[in-house]
C-alpha cells in the first residue's frame, strides 16, 4: 500500500548507530598523578613554569590546578602543537581529572566516563535509523498538504530567546526522533546542498524550520533568498563506526543550530553534543580564557568496535563559526542554503563530481520545498526544469565571466569552483573573514561570480609579491608538473594551500576544518593542469589537448602518491581571548620598562600634541573607485600637495575623492593589524598561522589591554605605575622587546604588508626577520626613510610609491618633540641618529595607542577604519 512518506531516494546513506552505554574507566590517584606528570611536568612542574603556569606537586596542588589543566587539555590546547595521539591522551587525561574532582578528589581509586553523565532522552526508532539518508529516512508526499504543519509554540519561544536552550530537545518538538515525517508535521524539512562542506568525511543531515505563517522568499531581481528572522537551521554530524559485525553505521556526534536574526550578527548559534547512547544532546559550553562560550573542544570516539580503535573529533569554537559565517552569501549568517546550493544537479553537471551517487529525491528537493511553502517567490506548479532555469546555475556564472566568443571554462574550472562554493567562498569574498582581515587579497573572490572563471593565475604573484599562485612553465621538462606537485613546497601556492599543512607562509585550506581532503588537492591539481601553459599559445588544438591530458594524468598520479586520509585528526586550538580579570601578557613589565635598554620608554614625554596628532586627519591618497561608490563634490583642501595634481596642475580626481587617514589609524593598520587583526581582536590569518606553528597567541587588544574588568579599565595598573598614558609605555615595550616570540624570515615574507596603507619601510626581508614580533621596527624603518627623503619613492627596495601622500603625516609623527637636524639627516652623528630613530619609533607607537584607546576599543566589536580600497565602507562627510 502506498505510504505518505516513502523511503528517501538518496545516494547519501547514513544508517544510524544504535548507541551504546557510556564507556567507564577506573583509576587511582597515584595513577592519575603519574599521567599528569608524564604529560605536563616537563613544562609545568617545579622548577618549570612555561607560560607562567606551574602546578603543585601533591594532592592539594592537583586539587587547586586540576580544573584548569583539564580545561586546556579538553580544548586541545595542551600539550601545544600536539600530535593526534598526544591530543587523544590529553583528552582522556582531562576526563580523568574531571571525574576525580567531581568525586571529591579521593586519594584512592575512582571511576568515571568521558561521556557527559546524562540520562533519559529519546531513542531513534530502528526503522528510522536504518533508513537514514541526508534527506532523512523518508520523503513526505508534497501533494498532501495535510501532512505539513507548524510549531507555533516553539516559534514564539524562540522569538523571545536571547540565548539557546540547554538541550536540543527544547528547540523543536520532534527533533530528537529524526523522524522527518513527524518533523514535517511541525514545519521542519530536510535539504542538502549541491556543493557540500568537507568536515573530515562526516555525514550530515540538514533541516530548516521557518516560523509559522512565514516563508523564505526568493527575489528574482537579486537572485537571492530573504530568510525571515527566527528561522532555524539544524545540521547534525555523523561519524562512521565499524561494528563488531563488520558493518558501517553512523554515530551522532553534534548538532549545530543557527537561529537567524536581523541584523545577521545578532543571530544565535551553538552546537549540541550527543551522549554515547545517542539519546540526549546538550549545548556545548566549554569556555574561552575570558569565560565566554564556546571554545574549541576535542572529543574522542570509538571508530572500530572490533579493535577498539578511536579517533579525535574537533568541535570548532564560536570564533571559528563567526570567521566562516560572517561571509555568508546572503549576509544572514547561513551557509549552504542559497538558490545556487538548493538547485541540485546530476553527477557531472555544473562541477558536480561525475562519480557521485545522486538520486531522484535529491534532484527534486527544490520542488518539494516550494510546494510545501517553505520557499516562495517561485511558481509552486513549476516543473523541475522550470524552477532550475529560474535559479542561478554555476555554468551560468561561467558563461557570464568569459569574453564574448570565447569558450566557456572547462570541466576542471567548474569542478574547482563548485568546491570553492561549499568550502572557500564564505571567507574569500568581499564580506568574508579572509578579505576583511587582509584586504590585500580582495581580488581573490572565490564566490560563484568571483575571480575563478576567466582568471589566468599563471605567473600572478601573491599580494606580498614573493611567490606565484600558479607556475605554468615546464621548461621543456616532460614530467615537471608531476615532480613539482610532489615537492614539500610546490611552486604553485594555490596547490600548496590545499595539499600541504600550515607552514610559515601559508594556512592550510579550507581553514577551520579538521582532517585532510584529498579531493581538494586533486581538483586544484587538475585545474592547474588544464590551464594553458607557457609556450603553448601557437600549438594546434590537438597538441594543446594532448599537453593538457598529460598534465591531468600527472595530477592524478601526484595526488594519489602524496595524499591520503589521515588515520587521525590533528587539531590546534585557537583562543585569542585574555583572562578575566586581565593579566599582562609579560609579567616582567615592571622589571623592564624604564630600565636599559628600555629606559627611553619612561624618559620620553607623551603630550597633548601626541594625542591631537594621533587624531588629526591627513589627506594621503585617493579612494579606489568601485561600482556603487560615489564621491561628493567638495572644495579643495587647505593644503594642496604636488601628488594631488597632474602634470598640467589639475586635480587628478575630484576633491571629494581624497582619502584621509589619521596617524593612529595608519600606524595601527600598517603595522599592528597584520597580526592583531584590523579590529584589534587577534583574529587574523597571521595569528592562525602562528598558533599552528609554535603555539604563540596573538593578543586581543580591544578586549584585553584596552578592555575593562567589571567596569575598571585594564589600563589602570600601568597608569598607577607610570602615570597618565602608562598603558602606552607597556604597549610600546611589548612592541619593541617585551614580546619574545620570534618570527622567521619566511613568516615575515608572507604576512608583512604595507601597500594598502600610506606607509613605507624596508622591503628587505632580513630587516623583517630581525624585527620578529617587535613590529615597531617597521615604524623605525618608515621614519628612517623620512629622514633620508626617500619615503614613498621608487628609491628604497619597497618602491611603495603609493605612500607618497603620507609623507607629510609621517614627517609630523617622526619629528614630534624630535627635531631632524642636518647631522641626523646625514647620519654623521651616529649616537644622535640612534636617539632620533628611537624617539621616532616611540612616537609612532603612541599614535597607535591613542587609536586603540579612543577609537578601536570604543566602537562596536568588529569595527574597522576603512582603507582606501574600501570605498563601500566610506562614511559620508
Amino acid at each position: 500500500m502506498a505510504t505518505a512518506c516513502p523511503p528517501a531516494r538518496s545516494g547519501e546513506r547514513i544508517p544510524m548507530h544504535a548507541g551504546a552505554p557510556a564507556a567507564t574507566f577506573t583509576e587511582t590517584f597515584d595513577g592519575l598523578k603519574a599521567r599528569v606528570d608524564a604529560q605536563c611536568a616537563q613544562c609545568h612542574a617545579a622548577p618549570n613554569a612555561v607560560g607562567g603556569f606551574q602546578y603543585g606537586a601533591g594532592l592539594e596542588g592537583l586539587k587547586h590546578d586540576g580544573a584548569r589543566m583539564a580545561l586546556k587539555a579538553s580544548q586541545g590546547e595542551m600539550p601545544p602543537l600536539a600530535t593526534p595521539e598526544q591530543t587523544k591522551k590529553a583528552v582522556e587525561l582531562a576526563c580523568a581529572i574531571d571525574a576525580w574532582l567531581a568525586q571529591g578528589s579521593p586519594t584512592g581509586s575512582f571511576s568515571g566516563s568521558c561521556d557527559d553523565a546524562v540520562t533519559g532522552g529519546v531513542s531513534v526508532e530502528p526503522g528510522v535509523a536504518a533508513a537514514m539518508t541526508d534527506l532523512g529516512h523518508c520523503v513526505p508526499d508534497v501533494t498532501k498538504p495535510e501532512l505539513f504543519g507548524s510549531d507555533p509554540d516553539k516559534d514564539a519561544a524562540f522569538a523571545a530567546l536571547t540565548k539557546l536552550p540547554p538541550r536540543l530537545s527544547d528547540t523543536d518538538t520532534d527533533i530528537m526522533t529524526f523522524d522527518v515525517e513527524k518533523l514535517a508535521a511541525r514545519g521542519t524539512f530536510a535539504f542538502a546542498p549541491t556543493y557540500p562542506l568537507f568536515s573530515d568525511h562526516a555525514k550530515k543531515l540538514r533541516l530548516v524550520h521557518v516560523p509559522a505563517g512565514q516563508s523564505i522568499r526568493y527575489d528574482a531581481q537579486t537572485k537571492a533568498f530573504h530568510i525571515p528572522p527566527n528561522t532555524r537551521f539544524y545540521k547534525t554530524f555523523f561519524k562512521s563506526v565499524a561494528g563488531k559485525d563488520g558493518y558501517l553505521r553512523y554515530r551522532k556526534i553534534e548538532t549545530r543550530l543557527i537561529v537567524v536574526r536581523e541584523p545577521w550578527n545578532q543571530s544565535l548559534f551553538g552546537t549540541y553534543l550527543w551522549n554515547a547512547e545517542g539519546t540526549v544532546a546538550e549545548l556545548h559550553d566549554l569556555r574561552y580564557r575570558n569565560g565566554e562560550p564556546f571554545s574549541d573542544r576535542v572529543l574522542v570516539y570509538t571508530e572500530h568496535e572490533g579493535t577498539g580503535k578511536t579517533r579525535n573529533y574537533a568541535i570548532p569554537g564560536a570564533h571559528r563559526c563567526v570567521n566562516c559565517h560572517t561571509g555568508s552569501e546572503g549576509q544572514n549568517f547561513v551557509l549552504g542554503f542559497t538558490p545556487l546550493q538548493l538547485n541540485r544537479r546530476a553527477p557531472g553537471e555544473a562541477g558536480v563530481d561525475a562519480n557521485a551517487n545522486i538520486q531522484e529525491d535529491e534532484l527534486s528537493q527544490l520542488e518539494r520545498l516550494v510546494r510545501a511553502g517553505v520557499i516562495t517567490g517561485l511558481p509552486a506548479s513549476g516543473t523541475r526544469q522550470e524552477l532550475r532555469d529560474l535559479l542561478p546555475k554555476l555554468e551560468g556564472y561561467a558563461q557570464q565571466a568569459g569574453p564574448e566568443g570565447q569558450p566557456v571554462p572547462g570541466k576542471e574550472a567548474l569542478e574547482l569552483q563548485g568546491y570553492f562554493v561549499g568550502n572557500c567562498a564564505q571567507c574569500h569574498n568581499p564580506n568574508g573573514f579572509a578579505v576583511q582581515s587582509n584586504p590585500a587579497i580582495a581580488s581573490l573572490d572565490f564566490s560563484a561570480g568571483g575571480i575563478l572563471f576567466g582568471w589566468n593565475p599563471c605567473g600572478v604573484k601573491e599580494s606580498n609579491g614573493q611567490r606565484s599562485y600558479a607556475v605554468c612553465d615546464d621548461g621543456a621538462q616532460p614530467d615537471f608538473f608531476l615532480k613539482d606537485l610532489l615537492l614539500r613546497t610546490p611552486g604553485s601556492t594555490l596547490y600548496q594551500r590545499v595539499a600541504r599543512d600550515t607552514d610559515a607562509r601559508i594556512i592550510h585550506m579550507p581553514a577551520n576544518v579538521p582532517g585532510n581532503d584529498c579531493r581538494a588537492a586533486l581538483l586544484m591539481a587538475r585545474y592547474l593542469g588544464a590551464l594553458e601553459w607557457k609556450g603553448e599559445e601557437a600549438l594546434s588544438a590537438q597538441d594543446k589537448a594532448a599537453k593538457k591530458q598529460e598534465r591531468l594524468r600527472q595530477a592524478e598520479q601526484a595526488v594519489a602518491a602524496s595524499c591520503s586520509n589521515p588515520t587521525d585528526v590533528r587539531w590546534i586550538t585557537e583562543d585569542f581571548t585574555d583572562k578575566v580579570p586581565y593579566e599582562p601578557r609579560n609579567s616582567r613589565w615592571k622589571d623592564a620598562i624604564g630600565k636599559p635598554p628600555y629606559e627611553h620608554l619612561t624618559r620620553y614625554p607623551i603630550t597633548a600634541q601626541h594625542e591631537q596628532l594621533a587624531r588629526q586627519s591627513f589627506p594621503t591618497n585617493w579612494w579606489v573607485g568601485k561600482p556603487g561608490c560615489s564621491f561628493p563634490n567638495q572644495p579643495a583642501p587647505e593644503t594642496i600637495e604636488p601628488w594631488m595634481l597632474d602634470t598640467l596642475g589639475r586635480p587628478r580626481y575630484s576633491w571629494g575623492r581624497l582619502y584621509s587617514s589619521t596617524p593612529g589609524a595608519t600606524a595601527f593598520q600598517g603595522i599592528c593589524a597584520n597580526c592583531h587583526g584590523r579590529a584589534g581582536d587577534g583574529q587574523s590569518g597571521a595569528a592562525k598561522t602562528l598558533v599552528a606553528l609554535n603555539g604563540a597567541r596573538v593578543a586581543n587588544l580591544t578586549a584585553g589591554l584596552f578592555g575593562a574588568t567589571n567596569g575598571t579599565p585594564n589600563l589602570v595598573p600601568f597608569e598607577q605605575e607610570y602615570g597618565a598614558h602608562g598603558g602606552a609605555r607597556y604597549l610600546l615595550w611589548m612592541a619593541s622587546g617585551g614580546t619574545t616570540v620570534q618570527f622567521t624570515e619566511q613568516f615575515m615574507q608572507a604576512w608583512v604588508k604595507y601597500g594598502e596603507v600610506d606607509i613605507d619601510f624596508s622591503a628587505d626581508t632580513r630587516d623583517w626577520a630581525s624585527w620578529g614580533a617587535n613590529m615597531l621596527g617597521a615604524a623605525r624603518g618608515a621614519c628612517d626613510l623620512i629622514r633620508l627623503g626617500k619615503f614613498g619613492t621608487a628609491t628604497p627596495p619597497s618602491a611603495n610609491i603609493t605612500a607618497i601622500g603620507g609623507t607629510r603625516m609621517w614627517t609630523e609623527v617622526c619629528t614630534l618633540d624630535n627635531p631632524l637636524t642636518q647631522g641626523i639627516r646625514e647620519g654623521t652623528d651616529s649616537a644622535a641618529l640612534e636617539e632620533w630613530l628611537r624617539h621616532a619609533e616611540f612616537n609612532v607607537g603612541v599614535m597607535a595607542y591613542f587609536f586603540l584607546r579612543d577609537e578601536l576599543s570604543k566602537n562596536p566589536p568588529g569595527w574597522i577604519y576603512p582603507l582606501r580600497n574600501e570605498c563601500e565602507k566610506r562614511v559620508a562627510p
Side-chain angles (χ1 to χ4, degrees):
M1 184 175 68
T3 174
C5 196
R9 294 167 293 179
S10 169
E12 187 82 348
R13 314 301 297 181
I14 317 176
M16 293 171 65
H17 187 266
T24 60
F25 59 81
T26 300
E27 182 61 279
T28 65
F29 170 70
D30 288 341
L32 175 66
K33 185 61 169 58
R35 290 166 64 186
V36 169
D37 290 341
Q39 295 189 39
C40 311
Q42 185 176 355
C43 293
H44 301 294
N48 305 313
V50 174
F53 174 70
Q54 184 181 90
Y55 68 91
L59 174 68
E60 294 303 316
L62 197 56
K63 286 170 66 175
H64 180 269
D65 299 316
R68 177 181 178 183
M69 298 171 75
L71 172 65
K72 298 300 182 186
S74 59
Q75 290 172 323
E77 185 172 349
M78 290 291 147
L81 309 180
T83 65
E85 189 59 32
Q86 288 173 325
T87 296
K88 194 172 295 179
K89 289 181 178 179
V91 171
E92 292 167 351
L93 176 60
C95 297
I97 293 175
D98 285 336
W100 178 72
L101 291 171
Q103 293 173 43
S105 310
T107 57
S109 63
F110 61 96
S111 60
S113 171
C114 285
D115 286 289
D116 293 332
V118 289
T119 57
V122 177
S123 296
V124 177
E125 290 292 331
V128 172
M132 186 56 56
T133 74
D134 61 340
L135 294 176
H137 72 295
C138 68
V139 175
D141 187 346
V142 293
T143 66
K144 298 181 178 180
E146 67 273 13
L147 299 178
F148 308 130
S150 60
D151 200 358
D153 291 341
K154 289 291 185 187
D155 294 340
F158 264 95
L161 286 181
T162 57
K163 61 180 182 180
L164 294 181
R167 288 198 173 185
L168 182 64
S169 54
D170 298 326
T171 69
D172 191 294
T173 301
D174 289 300
I175 195 70
M176 304 297 289
T177 69
F178 284 81
D179 187 325
V180 294
E181 186 173 17
K182 292 180 179 178
L183 288 166
R186 297 286 184 177
T188 303
F189 296 87
F191 69 95
T194 299
Y195 309 104
L197 175 73
F198 172 81
S199 302
D200 193 34
H201 303 285
K203 303 277 190 180
K204 299 158 195 168
L205 173 66
R206 303 165 180 86
L207 301 167
V208 57
H209 177 97
V210 182
Q214 300 190 57
S215 66
I216 295 171
R217 179 175 52 82
Y218 178 66
D219 187 326
Q221 292 295 113
T222 62
K223 295 190 178 300
F225 286 144
H226 175 259
I227 299 175
N230 298 306
T231 298
R232 308 195 294 273
F233 287 88
Y234 298 85
K235 182 160 66 171
T236 298
F237 289 69
F238 301 82
K239 291 294 291 184
S240 65
V241 175
K244 292 181 179 179
D245 58 6
Y247 286 98
L248 278 183
R249 299 178 181 87
Y250 291 84
R251 173 183 168 177
K252 304 186 291 289
I253 301 288
E254 59 168 323
T255 296
R256 299 179 190 174
L257 171 60
I258 292 175
V259 183
V260 174
R261 294 282 170 83
E262 293 178 350
W264 65 266
N265 57 8
Q266 300 300 311
S267 297
L268 305 180
F269 64 96
T271 188
Y272 293 85
L273 306 183
W274 288 89
N275 64 346
E277 291 91 338
T279 57
V280 175
E282 294 190 303
L283 189 64
H284 166 45
D285 196 39
L286 202 64
R287 300 297 175 108
Y288 284 107
R289 188 176 285 101
N290 66 355
E292 294 292 322
F294 51 95
S295 69
D296 287 342
R297 181 175 178 180
V298 178
L299 306 175
V300 178
Y301 70 97
T302 299
E303 188 178 39
H304 197 294
E305 293 179 334
T307 64
K309 182 181 181 298
T310 58
R311 187 177 179 89
N312 296 323
Y313 184 92
I315 305 290
H319 76 284
R320 297 185 194 260
C321 301
V322 172
N323 285 171
C324 289
H325 288 258
T326 293
S328 65
E329 180 182 321
Q331 281 293 275
N332 50 26
F333 207 68
V334 175
L335 300 177
F337 194 96
T338 66
L340 178 65
Q341 284 279 36
L342 289 191
N343 199 355
R344 292 300 299 270
R345 308 301 296 277
E349 290 184 2
V352 174
D353 186 353
N355 297 317
N357 183 3
I358 299 173
Q359 298 182 13
E360 175 61 24
D361 286 334
E362 293 166 291
L363 294 172
S364 60
Q365 71 171 4
L366 182 61
E367 300 161 75
R368 289 196 304 278
L369 292 172
V370 170
R371 290 172 185 172
V374 177
I375 296 173
T376 58
L378 292 167
S381 60
T383 66
R384 183 181 310 174
Q385 190 60 50
E386 288 171 340
L387 292 175
R388 178 172 295 168
D389 290 343
L390 290 171
L391 266 58
K393 295 183 285 187
L394 197 63
E395 65 270 37
Y397 288 106
Q399 290 166 354
Q400 294 168 15
E404 189 172 348
Q406 295 295 314
V408 299
K411 173 185 176 184
E412 294 79 17
L414 276 170
E415 289 178 339
L416 183 62
Q417 182 61 74
Y419 188 88
F420 279 178
V421 167
N423 293 273
C424 310
Q426 63 268 29
C427 278
H428 286 277
N429 74 71
N431 297 308
F433 170 74
V435 173
Q436 291 296 307
S437 62
N438 180 6
I441 62 170
S443 63
L444 293 187
D445 181 355
F446 287 152
S447 55
I451 192 175
L452 189 67
F453 295 136
W455 185 40
N456 182 357
C458 295
V460 176
K461 295 289 187 182
E462 293 188 300
S463 60
N464 55 33
Q466 300 297 313
R467 302 175 65 210
S468 297
Y469 290 117
V471 174
C472 308
D473 182 0
D474 60 16
Q477 302 175 55
D479 58 352
F480 168 82
F481 190 46
L482 172 62
K483 290 179 178 178
D484 186 63
L485 294 178
L486 292 172
L487 291 175
R488 182 181 181 86
T489 305
S492 300
T493 63
L494 285 173
Y495 181 75
Q496 184 184 354
R497 289 177 184 275
V498 297
R500 301 290 183 269
D501 289 336
T502 297
D503 68 14
R505 289 190 178 98
I506 62 115
I507 308 173
H508 175 75
M509 295 292 171
N512 299 318
V513 173
N516 183 33
D517 189 3
C518 293
R519 182 168 178 262
L522 179 59
L523 291 178
M524 184 62 76
R526 286 175 54 81
Y527 166 75
L528 295 173
L531 296 170
E532 186 174 282
W533 282 41
K534 185 178 179 180
E536 295 181 358
E537 301 85 354
L539 294 180
S540 67
Q542 184 177 1
D543 287 344
K544 283 184 181 180
K547 290 273 191 181
K548 171 184 170 180
Q549 287 304 314
E550 174 57 20
R551 286 194 296 269
L552 294 180
R553 185 194 66 79
Q554 292 181 18
E556 300 269 359
Q557 183 180 349
V559 175
S562 61
C563 191
S564 60
N565 185 34
T567 58
D568 210 337
V569 173
R570 183 171 185 256
W571 182 249
I572 304 297
T573 190
E574 295 177 353
D575 185 347
F576 300 114
T577 67
D578 279 289
K579 294 178 184 176
V580 177
Y582 171 76
E583 295 179 8
R585 284 298 186 90
N586 192 329
S587 60
R588 294 178 46 251
W589 58 279
K590 289 184 182 180
D591 298 326
I593 299 174
K595 303 175 179 65
Y598 306 109
E599 54 81 25
H600 65 283
L601 293 179
T602 53
R603 175 163 54 87
Y604 297 145
I606 300 176
T607 67
Q609 286 180 285
H610 284 91
E611 191 164 359
Q612 292 164 6
L613 181 57
R615 298 173 180 172
Q616 183 178 341
S617 184
F618 289 82
T620 61
N621 216 308
W622 305 95
W623 286 100
V624 177
K626 290 183 180 179
C629 289
S630 61
F631 304 99
N633 292 324
Q634 286 185 341
E638 187 174 331
T639 302
I640 297 178
E641 301 175 56
W643 62 269
M644 301 176 182
L645 307 175
D646 63 18
T647 55
L648 297 178
R650 300 171 303 189
R652 293 183 181 275
Y653 301 98
S654 68
W655 293 120
R657 191 162 165 173
L658 273 178
Y659 171 82
S660 296
S661 183
T662 65
T666 303
F668 177 80
Q669 297 208 107
I671 299 174
C672 318
N674 294 312
C675 282
H676 293 280
R678 293 181 63 201
D681 55 5
Q683 294 289 326
S684 70
K688 289 176 175 290
T689 299
L690 273 178
V691 77
L693 283 179
N694 55 29
R697 178 168 59 93
V698 172
N700 183 325
L701 295 171
T702 49
L705 178 60
F706 292 90
T709 302
N710 298 324
T712 301
N714 296 335
L715 292 170
V716 166
F718 309 107
E719 293 171 349
Q720 291 173 339
E721 187 73 18
Y722 304 115
H725 311 311
R729 305 187 190 279
Y730 171 77
L731 180 71
L732 268 67
W733 175 61
M734 290 295 289
S736 60
T739 301
T740 57
V741 176
Q742 292 299 308
F743 292 170
T744 65
E745 185 176 325
Q746 291 76 22
F747 178 86
M748 299 296 281
Q749 285 177 356
W751 296 106
V752 172
K753 307 180 295 296
Y754 50 81
E756 298 301 321
V757 290
D758 300 307
I759 179 175
D760 200 0
F761 51 78
S762 171
D764 190 329
T765 56
R766 292 168 298 182
D767 286 341
W768 300 354
S770 69
W771 301 336
N774 304 307
M775 283 300 295
L776 279 183
R780 172 182 289 241
C783 288
D784 200 28
L785 293 177
I786 289 290
R787 173 184 72 90
L788 296 169
K790 295 181 178 181
F791 187 96
T793 72
T795 307
S798 63
N800 185 23
I801 58 175
T802 61
I804 189 171
T807 303
R808 181 165 68 93
M809 176 176 68
W810 279 90
T811 299
E812 291 203 29
V813 172
C814 299
T815 60
L816 179 60
D817 292 339
N818 192 31
L820 183 54
T821 67
Q822 192 64 25
I824 293 172
R825 190 181 297 278
E826 295 174 355
T828 54
D829 186 338
S830 59
L833 173 59
E834 176 60 28
E835 175 69 9
W836 186 87
L837 288 171
R838 187 183 294 121
H839 200 151
E841 177 185 293
F842 177 89
N843 286 344
V844 177
V846 172
M847 298 297 107
Y849 158 78
F850 280 117
F851 175 72
L852 280 159
R853 191 195 72 171
D854 299 334
E855 293 188 71
L856 205 58
S857 61
K858 294 297 189 292
N859 276 290
W863 179 86
I864 56 176
Y865 191 98
L867 299 175
R868 61 188 181 84
N869 64 354
E870 297 176 317
C871 58
E872 71 278 6
K873 297 184 176 68
R874 176 181 176 275
V875 178

